[in-house]
Amino acid sequence: MHIIFILLAGLVSCHGATYDYNQLIQYSLLFYEAQRSGKLPADQKVTWRKDSALNDKGQNGEDLTGGYYDAGDYVKFGFPMAFTATLLSWGVIDYEEGYTKADSLEDARKAIKWATDYFLKCHVSEFEFYGQVGEGNLDHNWWGRPEDMTMERPAYKIDAENPGSELASETAAALAAASIVFKNVDSSYSDTLLTHAKQLYNFADTYRGKYKDALQTSRAIYPSNEYEDDLVWGAIWLYKATNDESYLTKAKEMYDEFGMILYNPWFSWDQKVTSSELLLAQITKEDPYVQRITSYCDHMISGQQRTPKGLVYIDTWGSLRMAANAAYLCLEAADAGINATAYRDFAKQQVGYMLGDTGKSFVVGFGTDPPTRVSHRSSSCPDAPATCDWINYGSLDPNPHVLYGALVGGPGSNDEYEDMRYDYVHNEVADDYNAGYQGCLAALNML
Ligand SMILES: *[C@@H]1O[C@H](CO)[C@@H](O)[C@H](O)[C@H]1NC(C)=O
């Protein structure tokens, strides 16, 4: 019976299977709700999560509550959180109809605002920005609910003496992109976002440095390789939000000055070269940028390493997220009129891998044989007052709460994957994992 079922599932989902993108978009937004830190609103749908980390404070007592827990843990890492907000905003700007069709536009805006409200709090003065709350080792040595945690949660900032250009510039990009999202919805909020975006960009550009050197925290879990790509990316988003040509000129000049053509092209929280080239191609239609994005997508389609079952394999960590980000860029390229059919097919095939084309879903709570023991602390805990500790971590039972919509890290290079909490490389979830993936869903929902 079991074998027959698997065979049938394999047949049904093979080749050109259709998936309920509306539901998947709604689920992905539920994942972001589950990641919320701070005081939860009355309309919170993920009700097994409660208020938490209400004492998150800056070094001078500033209120730093809110924002998102990063992954399966409870540190608030500003850099990947900002990238997440930028990417989510980009998807809402370009694929709004995909969200509307899923009756999720409002929730998508809320997901963005949950991050941007927090960034506004973190920007305590013109050249002062909190980029992290919580500390990796203290946090990771404990297993339980965020509502119950008692470890110290220090806050770390950048300022003029200890700058962090990639952090400030990516946050500027997030606020600028979100200002476009809210322009016709809440113009005063949009203006506030843009004011902070301009200031943070100026901060990033004026005081150059790497944020991992500035934060003085345990081992920058998200150390970025360089800040130059973020400066270009931030300037482009400032241009998109303001139409001020000086930002575009700056972006193009820095792109040349930094020799960005030589950078690692894989789009992620750390790498924004290809995404910058894509935006420059869309904005300027100039040949060098168009060529770059074309060869990137062509490489993804026929040059990049693949797993035997067809996933483009770019990185050990978060293999699915890397594929989703690539798919997202190629969907954007398709919309810019570049080889649309081939690039959309590529994106559809990659997302299909995630949703179940191989007979297995990699999205929690969705489809055939989805992950059930994801490396995610809060959903691994039963409701209070039951205890939750390392015993729950080691349990072979499924997580008591279904973390709907979360995309797991994903398989290794031979499609191997184990649904176990200890395998945080392949079976953790993260805010940035879902961002490009969610944008793909919205785009595919419009085709
Ligand atoms: C479109 O992309 C496919 C796959 O990369 C490639 O084989 C084909 O030559 C491209 N077509 C054009 C017109 O560039």
Side-chain angles (χ1 to χ4, degrees):
M1 186 60 192
H2 196 61
I3 290 167
I4 290 169
F5 174 74
I6 290 169
L7 280 175
L8 275 176
L11 283 177
V12 172
S13 59
C14 237
H15 302 302
T18 56
Y19 298 99
D20 186 346
Y21 295 128
N22 291 331
Q23 183 178 53
L24 284 157
I25 290 168
Q26 291 160 9
Y27 277 4
S28 182
L29 288 162
L30 289 180
F31 165 65
Y32 284 107
E33 280 205 7
Q35 295 300 93
R36 285 172 171 175
S37 179
K39 179 148 185 50
L40 303 183
D43 66 358
Q44 170 89 7
K45 291 177 191 146
V46 178
T47 52
W48 51 266
R49 281 294 332 285
K50 312 288 179 196
D51 297 350
S52 62
L54 297 178
N55 282 317
D56 282 0
K57 283 186 182 64
Q59 292 162 15
N60 303 303
E62 301 97 332
D63 168 25
L64 299 181
T65 58
Y68 287 109
Y69 297 127
D70 179 63
D73 60 349
Y74 304 135
V75 182
K76 298 194 290 197
F77 290 110
F79 189 48
M81 200 195 304
F83 174 70
T84 298
T86 309
L87 198 43
L88 288 178
S89 297
W90 193 5
V92 170
I93 294 164
D94 286 355
Y95 302 110
E96 184 178 309
E97 250 180 79
Y99 283 103
T100 306
K101 197 171 153 194
D103 200 15
S104 292
L105 183 56
E106 193 86 351
D107 285 340
R109 289 183 188 132
K110 285 178 187 169
I112 293 162
K113 192 165 186 287
W114 197 264
T116 52
D117 281 351
Y118 170 73
F119 298 146
L120 296 179
K121 288 182 182 179
C122 292
H123 192 204
V124 292
S125 72
E126 188 172 0
F127 300 120
E128 220 181 345
F129 180 78
Y130 281 96
Q132 184 174 323
V133 179
E135 194 273 340
N137 292 330
L138 294 174
D139 186 277
H140 296 168
N141 285 333
W142 182 80
W143 194 271
R145 301 178 197 90
E147 293 83 3
D148 298 340
M149 63 184 169
T150 56
M151 82 286 281
E152 267 189 79
R153 290 174 60 79
Y156 304 89
K157 66 175 176 177
I158 50 172
D159 56 26
E161 286 74 45
N162 298 285
S165 298
E166 67 283 71
L167 173 64
S169 193
E170 179 61 74
T171 309
L175 296 176
S179 81
I180 302 172
V181 169
F182 286 97
K183 204 175 177 81
N184 299 319
V185 182
D186 181 346
S187 63
S188 101
Y189 186 64
S190 172
D191 290 346
T192 303
L193 294 173
L194 195 51
T195 303
H196 285 270
K198 288 178 190 167
Q199 284 188 358
L200 278 165
Y201 190 76
N202 183 47
F203 177 19
D205 189 25
T206 309
Y207 299 102
R208 304 252 181 117
K210 288 191 186 184
Y211 90 102
K212 70 173 174 189
D213 299 331
L215 290 193
Q216 303 285 319
T217 172
S218 72
R219 337 308 99 184
I221 288 176
Y222 288 90
S224 99
N225 277 316
E226 55 269 305
Y227 58 71
E228 285 85 349
D229 54 327
D230 302 275
L231 282 176
V232 172
W233 170 244
I236 300 171
W237 277 106
L238 261 300
Y239 168 72
K240 282 170 74 73
T242 61
N243 284 315
D244 176 346
E245 290 284 335
S246 68
Y247 285 117
L248 181 59
T249 308
K250 195 173 184 61
K252 293 171 71 175
E253 283 174 0
M254 286 191 303
Y255 176 87
D256 293 337
E257 178 199 333
F258 298 148
M260 268 179 39
I261 207 156
L262 302 172
Y263 284 34
N264 174 341
W266 316 134
F267 183 39
S268 72
W269 58 268
D270 189 23
Q271 296 295 341
K272 290 116 198 191
V273 178
T274 307
S275 55
S276 296
E277 291 167 335
L278 171 63
L279 288 180
L280 289 171
Q282 288 179 340
I283 294 164
T284 68
K285 316 263 188 280
E286 287 169 15
D287 210 43
Y289 305 121
V290 174
Q291 283 302 325
R292 291 285 294 167
I293 189 68
T294 305
S295 43
Y296 168 83
C297 289
D298 288 347
H299 177 79
M300 280 296 154
I301 291 170
S302 52
Q304 182 63 38
Q305 181 186 347
R306 297 230 181 184
T307 67
K309 291 179 180 169
L311 180 73
V312 287
Y313 190 76
I314 298 167
D315 195 10
T316 319
W317 277 87
S319 57
L320 295 176
R321 149 285 299 263
M322 297 306 283
N325 291 355
Y328 184 79
L329 290 187
C330 296
L331 285 165
E332 286 278 354
D335 289 318
I338 307 170
N339 208 345
T341 307
Y343 294 175
R344 284 182 185 136
D345 285 350
F346 163 70
K348 209 165 173 191
Q349 185 253 329
Q350 292 300 306
V351 173
Y353 184 103
M354 298 167 205
L355 303 182
D357 280 4
T358 69
K360 155 155 206 63
S361 161
F362 291 95
V363 176
V364 180
F366 178 84
T368 306
D369 188 25
T372 61
R373 290 184 287 254
V374 287
S375 191
H376 182 262
R377 278 189 252 158
S378 63
S379 64
S380 81
C381 295
D383 280 327
T387 54
C388 186
D389 54 26
W390 291 105
I391 295 191
N392 303 77
Y393 165 81
S395 162
L396 293 177
D397 294 334
N399 288 9
H401 295 291
V402 179
L403 188 65
Y404 285 105
L407 179 72
V408 296
S413 60
N414 280 309
D415 300 296
E416 74 277 20
Y417 163 83
E418 213 186 351
D419 184 14
M420 295 297 279
R421 265 168 233 110
Y422 58 70
D423 191 356
Y424 50 84
V425 173
H426 302 107
N427 211 29
E428 197 169 348
V429 300
D431 298 340
D432 83 282
Y433 288 8
N434 263 67
Y437 156 77
Q438 189 180 298
C440 288
L441 295 175
L444 293 172
N445 205 27
M446 286 169 57
L447 295 181

